[in-house]
């Protein structure tokens, strides 16, 4: 059978169509031997290979063969069963990765938003258990500053000078701080700070509006609001706590075929960051 030909499998009643070359990624596996007609247990019936195994778990087997990565849903729990299936098919590099269950399980991510109002200004502080999430938020949030004329306060846009983006304050890799609103500076000038949160293009100066947009952005990103509380009533500091299950870093197999070898795939483990 040519590696360009299609192969049809019926695994536990679930039908799969793939290329022979996909099933031959690991030449010593039973799937490769099946394609090469060297495994008599897998019978070819009406042009389809019948396999009396779990068809749902075979979906993850096929995904691994196509991508050489272990990528499982956040609610997946059948690690031992999938490992047993990998061993049955002779996919021992996959079985080895699945034995490292602690690296594949999703982790609970916590994020807190502290919000305080002080006269005409609002202050935000965001804490996150995952630094990459804070980095991503820092790329989405931009603070713009400009000056307003005191006489033009009722019509700020007509008297507003050019807005300049300013960097967010980053006390650590796990938090960020930024303000919005207005404050008086020397003379009769008012400093205005606007906040923009991508993909929304608006520049908001009202702290309550910025808070609403920020919370909506987090909810759309898969976070779930689990609590709200007042941290300090005299300072009007509110805290919003979110959580979400963050997909763990995937594990990948790098397959190298060495010249003159028996065709056994050499596997090397490495961690790759998966999209959420």
């Amino acid at each position: 059978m040519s590696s360009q030909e299609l192969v049809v499998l019926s695994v536990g009643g679930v039908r799969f169509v793939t290329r022979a070359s996909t099933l031959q990624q690991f030449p010593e596996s039973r799937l490769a031997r099946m394609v090469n007609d060297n495994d008599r247990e897998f019978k070819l019936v009406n042009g389809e290979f019948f396999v009396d195994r779990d068809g749902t778990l075979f979906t993850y087997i096929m995904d691994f063969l196509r991508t050489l990565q272990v990528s499982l849903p956040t609610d997946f729990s059948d690690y031992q069963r999938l490992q047993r299936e990998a061993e049955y098919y002779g996919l021992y590099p996959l079985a080895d990765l699945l034995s490292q269950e602690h690296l594949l399980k999703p982790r609970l991510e916590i994020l807190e938003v502290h919000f305080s109002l002080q006269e005409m200004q609002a202050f935000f502080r965001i804490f996150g258990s995952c630094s990459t999430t804070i980095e991503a938020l820092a790329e989405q949030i931009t603070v713009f500053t400009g000056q307003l004329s005191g006489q033009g306060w009722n019509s700020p846009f007509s008297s507003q000078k050019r807005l300049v983006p300013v960097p967010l304050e980053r006390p650590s890799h796990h938090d960020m701080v930024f303000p919005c609103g207005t404050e008086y500076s020397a003379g009769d000038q008012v400093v205005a700070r606007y906040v923009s949160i991508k993909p929304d293009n608006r520049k908001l100066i009202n702290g309550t509006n910025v808070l609403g947009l920020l919370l909506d952005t987090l909810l759309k990103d898969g976070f779930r609001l689990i609590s709200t509380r007042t941290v300090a009533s005299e300072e009007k500091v509110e805290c919003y706590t979110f959580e979400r299950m963050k997909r763990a870093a995937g594990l990948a197999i790098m397959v190298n075929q060495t010249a003159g070898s028996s065709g056994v795939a050499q596997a090397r483990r490495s961690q790759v960051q998966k999209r959420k």
Side-chain angles (χ1 to χ4, degrees):
M1 177 178 288
S2 168
S3 62
Q4 297 300 316
E5 293 182 5
L6 296 182
V7 179
V8 181
L9 302 91
S10 177
V11 184
V14 182
R15 193 169 183 267
F16 297 87
V17 180
T18 187
R19 290 186 180 277
S21 57
T22 301
L23 299 175
Q24 293 169 324
Q25 288 276 18
F26 298 87
E28 299 299 321
S29 71
R30 297 190 67 185
L31 292 172
R33 297 203 305 269
M34 175 192 72
V35 173
N36 297 327
D37 297 325
N38 292 328
D39 195 311
R40 296 183 179 181
E41 184 175 341
F42 299 144
K43 301 297 183 181
L44 188 62
V45 180
N46 296 325
E48 299 183 6
F49 285 102
F50 174 74
V51 184
D52 191 16
R53 302 295 293 189
D54 190 307
T56 300
L57 292 178
F58 193 73
T59 300
Y60 305 116
I61 300 284
M62 284 303 308
D63 183 65
F64 169 74
L65 291 174
R66 287 165 175 156
T67 66
L68 298 182
Q69 296 180 6
V70 182
S71 179
L72 301 172
T74 55
D75 59 350
F76 185 82
S77 60
D78 289 338
Y79 292 92
Q80 291 184 349
R81 289 183 60 211
L82 184 55
Q83 182 181 352
R84 187 168 65 243
E85 293 299 295
E87 291 172 348
Y88 171 81
Y89 291 111
L91 296 170
Y92 297 107
L94 173 58
D96 181 45
L97 294 186
L98 290 168
S99 68
Q100 305 176 69
E101 186 177 331
H102 64 287
L103 297 178
L104 292 169
K105 282 188 174 180
R107 300 178 182 179
L108 183 64
E109 180 180 358
I110 302 296
L111 187 142
E112 287 190 349
V113 176
H114 288 206
F115 170 70
S116 64
L117 281 173
Q118 299 177 16
E119 297 181 350
M120 297 297 292
Q121 293 189 88
F123 296 89
F124 295 83
R125 187 161 195 167
I126 304 177
F127 302 84
S129 61
C130 179
S131 60
T132 56
T133 297
I134 298 299
E135 292 289 344
L137 276 175
E139 293 180 0
Q140 288 181 263
I141 299 173
T142 306
V143 176
F144 297 88
T145 185
Q147 287 188 339
L148 306 176
S149 165
Q151 292 81 0
W153 175 244
N154 292 328
S155 303
F157 290 101
S158 62
S159 58
Q160 184 182 72
K161 295 184 179 180
R162 184 174 65 90
L163 294 179
V164 178
V166 295
L168 302 178
E169 183 180 345
R170 295 293 307 278
S172 74
H173 293 296
H174 289 271
D175 61 342
M176 71 175 76
V177 179
F178 61 91
C180 71
T182 59
E183 66 174 342
Y184 283 95
S185 61
D188 195 24
Q189 296 295 315
V190 176
V191 177
R193 295 183 179 88
Y194 297 81
V195 174
S196 175
I197 305 178
K198 297 176 182 178
D200 194 295
N201 293 320
R202 292 174 296 171
K203 295 180 177 64
L204 304 177
I205 195 171
N206 182 283
T208 302
N209 292 341
V210 173
L211 176 64
L213 178 58
L214 176 60
L215 300 187
D216 185 58
T217 300
L218 294 174
L219 292 172
K220 290 180 179 178
D221 199 31
F223 281 96
R224 181 172 66 93
L225 180 63
I226 58 174
S227 71
T228 60
R229 70 182 190 276
T230 300
V231 178
S233 57
E234 64 278 4
E235 297 179 1
K236 298 181 180 178
V237 179
E238 300 173 351
C239 176
Y240 299 81
T241 304
F242 294 81
E243 70 173 19
R244 74 174 174 183
M245 294 302 295
K246 182 177 178 62
R247 187 185 299 275
L251 293 179
I253 290 287
M254 301 300 293
V255 179
N256 299 310
Q257 299 293 348
T258 57
S261 70
S262 62
V264 178
Q266 303 295 319
R268 176 173 63 84
R269 289 190 295 271
S270 65
Q271 289 196 9
V272 293
Q273 185 65 38
K274 298 294 292 179
R275 286 181 293 178
K276 0 182 210 183

